[in-house]
Amino acid sequence: MTSVQLAVVGAHLAGMPLHHQLTSRQARFVRASRTAPSYRLYAMAGTTPPKPALVHAAGGGSIELEIYELDVAAFGSFVAEVPAPLAIGTVALEDGTSVKGFVAEPRAMEGAEDITALGGWRAFMALQAG
């Protein structure tokens, strides 16, 4: 294996504040997609910049995401910078495949707002912007 596909759902999306952590590692955009309809998305409390938490859950929805491809070494250096309570796990996609992607520990939901109904982070950020 020489590369890894990585799904991002929040602050690492194109145009968002942490996207540079992908571009600085020469990540290549693969495609926009959605999760399988079994995830909940939360706006975590007290994060700077604002970040979401993606959690596999019964009664969830399908969440918008972007998939990037990174060389294995770049993926490793990226993962080393992911702060708890976020983590990298396996995310099921709407087409039945899966990729590595951002997921969250249960503690990420403490004080968080469930924004699943919005379908993605961009919609939430647009609401916040007014």
Side-chain angles (χ1 to χ4, degrees), residues 7-10 13 32-36 41 52 54 61-67 93-94 116 118-124:
V8 299
V9 296
L13 293 166
S33 188
R34 298 182 72 84
T35 67
L41 190 66
L54 184 69
S62 182
I63 306 299
E64 294 177 348
L65 53 78
E66 293 174 352
I67 300 170
L93 303 177
E94 66 181 351
T116 305
L118 297 175
W121 188 245
R122 289 187 193 282
F124 173 74

Side-chain angles (χ1 to χ4, degrees), residues 35-56:
T35 67
S38 54
Y39 289 87
R40 298 203 75 74
L41 190 66
Y42 296 86
M44 293 192 303
T47 59
T48 304
K51 296 180 191 82
L54 184 69
V55 179
H56 190 270

Side-chain angles (χ1 to χ4, degrees), residues 17-127:
L18 299 180
H19 187 68
H20 67 91
Q21 292 179 346
L22 293 172
T23 58
S24 68
R25 291 174 170 88
Q26 288 73 53
R28 297 166 297 284
F29 177 76
V30 175
R31 69 185 198 272
S33 188
R34 298 182 72 84
T35 67
S38 54
Y39 289 87
R40 298 203 75 74
L41 190 66
Y42 296 86
M44 293 192 303
T47 59
T48 304
K51 296 180 191 82
L54 184 69
V55 179
H56 190 270
S62 182
I63 306 299
E64 294 177 348
L65 53 78
E66 293 174 352
I67 300 170
Y68 290 85
E69 186 170 41
L70 295 99
D71 295 335
V72 170
F75 176 77
S77 72
F78 179 85
V79 170
E81 292 181 2
V82 174
L86 298 176
I88 301 298
T90 301
V91 176
L93 303 177
E94 66 181 351
D95 65 4
T97 63
S98 61
V99 295
K100 296 302 175 193
F102 277 90
V103 295
E105 299 174 9
R107 63 184 165 143
M109 292 172 288
E110 294 172 10
E113 177 184 354
D114 187 338
I115 60 170
T116 305
L118 297 175
W121 188 245
R122 289 187 193 282
F124 173 74
M125 292 306 291
L127 280 177

